[in-house]
Amino acid sequence: MFQSMITAVNSDEGYTEIVRAVVEGRSVIPVFSVLRIGENSLGEAARVFGENNTLPVDEIFVTTFHPKDVVFQHLEVPRVKSMKNLLSVASFKAASQFSLPPDEVNVACLNSIASLKTGLVPAFIITKRKAVLEFVGRLTGENFPEPNIVDVKPFSIFKTAHTSVFEGNNIVFVVDKNYSILLTLRGEEIVGLNYISDGFDELASGFSEDNSLSPKTDIQREFLVGSKAYYDSLIEEASERLEGLISYQLRMYLTNTLSNSPNTSAADESLFTRFFVVGPSSLSTAVYSRAFQRILGDETEVVSMPLRIKETTGITYTSVGLLMRGGEILGRRKLTFKEETGIKA
C-alpha cells in the first residue's frame, strides 16, 4: 500500500537536522532523524541521511530559510480582495526598495486579508530570489531534490501551537541557536516583529565545562532537542546566567518592537501583559521562560507557548512544524504529530 512520506531539512548556522516521516491516516510519524552540530553540519547530516535513506524525487520535501537572509517589513498597501493581489502590490513596493525587477523579489505576507479591514499595516517577509536559489543550490548539491516548500524560520513552529491562546494582546519570543525573534500579536495577527541576532549559543557554550553535567553531555544538542524534565538544576542556573546577559536588552527589544511598528507605539507596552516563550525544545523554552519571568516581574505573565505535541519528541520543534507544513501539501490540514521510536543517527 502506498504511503505518503515527508522529509524536512532544518539547516541553520551551526547545526542541521534532517527528519523523515510517514503519514498514516492523519498522523505524521517520524521514521528517521539525524542532527549534526558544527561548521559542516549540512554535509555531515546529508551524508548520514543518504546512507540510510533513498529519497524519491516525488516525495514531499520541505526546508526552512534562516531569517538573517530576509527582510521583515511592514508595507502600506491598499485594501485588496485576494492574497494574490496583495502580494502583487507588495512585490512592486519591495522591488523598488531593492532597485530590482519585481520577479527578482519573493514576498510573503504574515497577516490575513481580513486583517486589512481593521486598518492593520501588514508585515511581509521579503527575500531576494537570488538568495533563495543559492540556498536551494546548496541542498541540491547534497543530492536533495528541489524543495516543495522553502519556509522562513521560525514560523513553522506555529504549526504546532495552540493558537487559540493568542486571544487579546500578546508577545511571543522565539529563540534558536544564533538568533531570536520578538513578535507582538493581536489575536493571531502579527502587529510587530523584531529580529535579534543573538540566540542561546553563548549561554549554552558556557556550560561546556560545568560540573553538574555528565562528561558526555552535548549541551548544544540538549538545548536543541532536550527535555526540561531531566535538567531542573541546569534550568535554574542557566536562567540566572541568562538574566544577567539579557535583562537590559529584553526591555529595549520590547520598546523597539512596539515603537518601530506602524501598528503600535511604545506607550502600548502596558497592553501587552502576556508573554509566550518558545525555543526548539522544552529545555531551552524552560530556561528562557524562567529568566524572562524574573526580568519582567509579576506584572507580566510569562508562559511557555503551548504546543500540540508531546514535550519530548527528540526532534526540534522547528522540524516538527516543517513536517506539519509538508502535510498541508497532501491536503490533510488537521494532521497530528505522533511520537514513535525511530532511527537516530
Side-chain angles (χ1 to χ4, degrees), residues 55-339:
L55 189 61
V57 294
D58 59 348
E59 182 166 316
I60 300 299
F61 178 49
V62 295
T63 187
T64 187
F65 205 60
H66 197 288
K68 73 177 178 60
D69 297 315
V70 308
V71 174
F72 298 105
Q73 189 170 354
H74 295 273
L75 294 175
E76 294 273 4
V77 292
R79 295 183 186 180
V80 294
K81 294 182 179 180
S82 71
M83 183 59 71
K84 181 180 179 180
N85 290 339
L86 177 64
L87 295 179
S88 178
V89 172
S91 292
F92 277 98
K93 281 205 161 193
S96 65
Q97 295 183 14
F98 291 112
S99 299
L100 291 171
D103 60 357
E104 289 298 316
V105 175
N106 293 331
V107 175
C109 186
L110 293 172
N111 296 101
S112 67
I113 284 290
S115 68
L116 271 66
K117 297 179 181 179
T118 67
L120 180 77
V121 179
F124 292 88
I125 299 173
I126 305 169
T127 314
K128 292 182 180 179
R129 186 169 180 269
K130 180 182 178 181
V132 177
L133 292 176
E134 289 175 352
F135 173 70
V136 171
R138 290 197 294 273
L139 296 178
T140 56
E142 299 292 347
N143 298 316
F144 289 105
E146 289 196 8
N148 300 91
I149 293 176
V150 179
D151 210 341
V152 174
K153 299 183 75 171
F155 296 99
S156 64
I157 283 180
F158 289 92
K159 294 295 179 184
T160 71
H162 286 289
T163 54
S164 59
V165 301
F166 295 142
E167 182 179 352
N169 296 322
N170 298 286
I171 298 166
V172 177
F173 187 93
V174 188
V175 62
D176 208 322
K177 190 173 186 295
N178 63 5
Y179 77 91
S180 308
I181 287 186
L182 187 65
L183 305 162
T184 50
L185 286 81
R186 286 181 182 148
E188 295 183 29
E189 298 291 346
I190 294 172
V191 295
L193 72 167
N194 188 4
Y195 172 78
I196 302 162
S197 58
D198 291 312
F200 62 70
D201 194 19
E202 180 183 353
L203 176 67
S205 298
F207 287 88
S208 58
E209 303 297 331
D210 192 273
N211 294 331
S212 64
L213 297 174
S214 165
K216 294 184 178 180
T217 300
D218 185 336
I219 193 62
Q220 294 280 354
R221 177 181 290 269
E222 293 304 310
F223 264 71
L224 287 166
V225 298
S227 170
K228 68 180 182 183
Y230 305 108
Y231 289 104
D232 284 343
S233 61
L234 173 64
I235 292 170
E236 184 63 26
E237 185 177 353
S239 62
E240 288 180 357
R241 292 191 189 185
L242 178 62
E243 183 182 1
L245 289 171
I246 202 174
S247 182
Y248 169 75
Q249 289 93 327
L250 180 60
R251 292 197 174 275
M252 179 182 68
Y253 295 149
L254 281 169
T255 300
N256 289 345
T257 304
L258 290 165
S259 60
N260 292 334
S261 168
N263 300 302
T264 55
S265 67
D268 294 327
E269 184 171 347
S270 61
L271 302 176
F272 292 83
T273 57
R274 191 163 50 168
F275 197 116
F276 291 101
V277 181
V278 64
S281 70
S282 67
L283 174 61
S284 48
T285 300
V287 169
Y288 274 75
S289 294
R290 191 169 299 185
F292 287 180
Q293 186 63 79
R294 288 197 187 99
I295 295 169
L296 297 174
D298 295 336
E299 67 272 14
T300 302
E301 178 188 3
V302 179
V303 293
S304 299
M305 190 166 74
L307 305 178
R308 296 183 287 110
I309 55 178
K310 293 181 180 179
E311 176 188 305
T312 307
T313 65
I315 299 169
T316 64
Y317 294 156
T318 300
S319 291
V320 175
L322 283 175
L323 293 175
M324 306 302 284
R325 185 84 166 84
E328 293 180 355
I329 297 179
L330 300 172
R332 300 163 177 165
R333 292 186 174 274
K334 294 184 179 180
L335 291 173
T336 57
F337 183 81
K338 185 177 181 182
E339 182 182 359

